[in-house]
């Protein structure tokens, strides 16, 4: 059984690499996170209670390793995030000044993303960067697909409100 689980882990290597890359946007760092994910998974394989949830477990390990690395390096690609943020927010409802802030201000974008909870950041990355379906987000985060859909909708509203409110404090 142990070797079967190792084989399953290896079959998920590409998925975990793409997920890691979607989080960090750095190929080398994504490779490190992916390798660390499988090392940690293989060391902790005995803790996996349900082998059917192996993929979800691997994504969770990968996400946690990414968060640890971000905290260690404090490195974040906000410019690319700004571009993607404009894809999920209907910029027609923003004033020209708000649209400019959204597209041009790296610090502003970092503050916006920084206001999100860890779960919201995960949903944002999976939906916007990785283009995950709500079903894939739900599976990865252990929730119902409708819950993932509602949380993403609320996340969009929260981001729009932050942008609108933020202009008052600039």
């Amino acid at each position: 059984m142990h070797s079967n689980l190792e084989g399953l882990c290896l079959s998920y290597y590409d998925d975990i690499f793409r997920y890691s890359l979607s989080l960090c946007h750095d190929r080398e760092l994504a490779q490190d996170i992916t390798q660390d994910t499988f090392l940690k998974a293989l060391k902790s394989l005995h803790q996996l209670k349900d082998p059917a949830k192996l993929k979800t477990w691997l994504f969770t390990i990968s996400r946690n390793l990414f968060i640890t690395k971000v905290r260690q390096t404090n490195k974040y690609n906000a410019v690319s995030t700004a571009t993607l943020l404009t894809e999920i927010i209907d910029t027609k409802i923003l004033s020209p000044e708000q649209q400019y802030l959204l597209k041009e201000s790296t610090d502003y974008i970092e503050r916006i993303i920084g206001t999100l909870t860890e779960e919201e950041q995960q949903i944002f990355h999976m939906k916007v960067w990785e283009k995950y379906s709500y079903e894939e987000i739900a599976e990865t985060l252990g929730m119902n697909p409708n819950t993932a859909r509602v949380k993403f909708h609320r996340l969009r509203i929260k981001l729009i409100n932050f942008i609108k409110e933020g202009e008052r404090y600039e």
Side-chain angles (χ1 to χ4, degrees):
M1 173 138 173
H2 186 72
S3 63
N4 289 342
L5 285 175
E6 286 180 30
L8 283 173
C9 286
L10 294 176
S11 71
Y12 291 127
Y13 185 89
D14 288 340
D15 292 332
I16 300 303
F17 173 75
R18 282 191 302 273
Y19 176 66
S20 299
L21 185 60
S22 76
L23 294 174
C24 67
H25 314 289
D26 179 323
R27 261 186 137 35
E28 191 173 311
L29 181 57
Q31 288 173 339
D32 289 346
I33 291 171
T34 302
Q35 290 173 1
D36 291 347
T37 297
F38 286 102
L39 287 173
K40 188 168 185 170
L42 290 173
K43 287 179 184 176
S44 306
L45 209 48
H46 63 280
Q47 295 176 352
L48 179 62
K49 294 176 177 94
D50 183 0
K53 295 188 178 186
L54 176 64
K55 186 175 182 180
T56 303
W57 185 59
L58 292 170
F59 278 117
T60 302
I61 293 170
S62 177
R63 180 187 71 236
N64 291 340
L65 288 168
F66 166 73
I67 291 167
T68 300
K69 291 202 184 277
V70 166
R71 287 180 181 149
Q72 290 171 347
T73 62
N74 200 16
K75 184 177 174 183
Y76 195 78
N77 189 347
V79 175
S80 297
T81 302
T83 303
L84 289 170
L85 195 53
T86 61
E87 289 180 18
I88 65 164
I89 294 175
D90 181 8
T91 55
K92 293 177 189 139
I93 64 172
L94 302 176
S95 71
E97 294 83 12
Q98 291 167 334
Q99 290 178 29
Y100 176 79
L101 273 175
L102 184 61
K103 289 180 182 175
E104 300 299 323
S105 176
T106 299
D107 292 338
Y108 188 69
I109 298 304
E110 287 177 354
R111 283 203 324 260
I112 290 172
I113 300 302
T115 66
L116 303 177
T117 66
E118 184 177 316
E119 181 181 70
E120 289 171 333
Q121 288 180 21
Q122 293 166 359
I123 292 170
F124 177 85
H125 282 290
M126 284 186 252
K127 187 68 180 162
V128 177
W129 285 107
E130 191 65 23
K131 309 292 186 208
Y132 276 27
S133 69
Y134 292 112
E135 289 74 19
E136 291 170 317
I137 293 171
E139 179 185 334
T140 303
L141 297 180
M143 62 179 66
N144 180 295
N146 288 332
T147 302
R149 185 175 282 108
V150 168
K151 287 184 180 237
F152 184 72
H153 176 73
R154 288 179 182 159
L155 167 61
R156 289 178 60 200
I157 292 169
K158 183 176 182 178
L159 292 170
I160 290 167
N161 288 338
F162 184 87
I163 292 166
K164 287 183 173 186
E165 293 294 319
E167 185 179 63
R168 295 183 199 165
Y169 303 108
E170 294 296 321

